[in-house]
Amino acid sequence: SSDSVTRQNYFVLHSALDLVEKAAWTTNQMYLKVVDKVNHQMVSTFLTAGNIKFMLLHGGRSEDSIKHFFQDVYELYVKVSVLLLISLCHFSLFCSSYSFIHPSIHPSIHLSLSSP
């Protein structure tokens, strides 16, 4: 059934985490290529500088296409992370200035956040 296949895929990816950690110490590359093979399935991994792991379970597709896929995912990850930081910064500045005008909101917001 599809439920057992889903569980098996999850198990294969999860069991590859130890191999990913081991491979991370042997190279300074972000793309670790295939780190594990199980039942005609392969696990490829991409590590970010912050040790975030992108893992892909596949049936042996072109290594170049997998590398490009990971590079695209990483690029989107960086863009979303930067947008999140920018949004938090704008929110912090808004809260800081708003609590200055209306200290009844929460006094610790004004004290913990600095405005430019």
Side-chain angles (χ1 to χ4, degrees):
S1 76
S2 67
D3 189 42
S4 65
V5 171
T6 301
R7 284 188 210 160
Q8 180 184 359
N9 290 344
Y10 177 79
F11 177 75
V12 169
L13 284 170
H14 189 70
S15 65
L17 284 172
D18 288 334
L19 297 171
V20 170
E21 292 293 331
K22 184 178 179 180
W25 286 100
T26 63
T27 183
N28 61 357
Q29 299 295 313
M30 296 176 86
Y31 176 54
L32 300 181
K33 301 181 183 179
V34 174
V35 294
D36 196 9
K37 296 178 184 179
V38 178
N39 296 334
H40 307 293
Q41 293 180 318
M42 299 176 192
V43 178
S44 295
T45 304
F46 186 94
L47 289 176
T48 69
N51 202 30
I52 304 294
K53 298 162 188 71
F54 299 132
M55 300 174 72
L56 178 67
L57 182 65
H58 58 90
R61 304 210 188 289
S62 162
E63 189 173 315
D64 284 338
S65 63
I66 292 171
K67 183 177 181 178
H68 289 297
F69 169 76
F70 277 133
Q71 288 172 336
D72 290 344
V73 169
Y74 180 65
E75 183 180 324
L76 289 172
Y77 167 76
V78 170
K79 287 179 181 180
V80 168
S81 298
V82 168
L83 285 174
L84 177 63
L85 288 173
I86 290 170
S87 297
L88 287 173
C89 183
H90 285 274
F91 177 75
S92 297
L93 293 175
F94 169 77
C95 287
S96 179
S97 61
Y98 192 72
S99 65
F100 179 77
I101 297 168
H102 301 281
S104 62
I105 291 178
H106 197 284
S108 66
I109 292 176
H110 177 67
L111 296 174
S112 64
L113 301 173
S114 61
S115 58

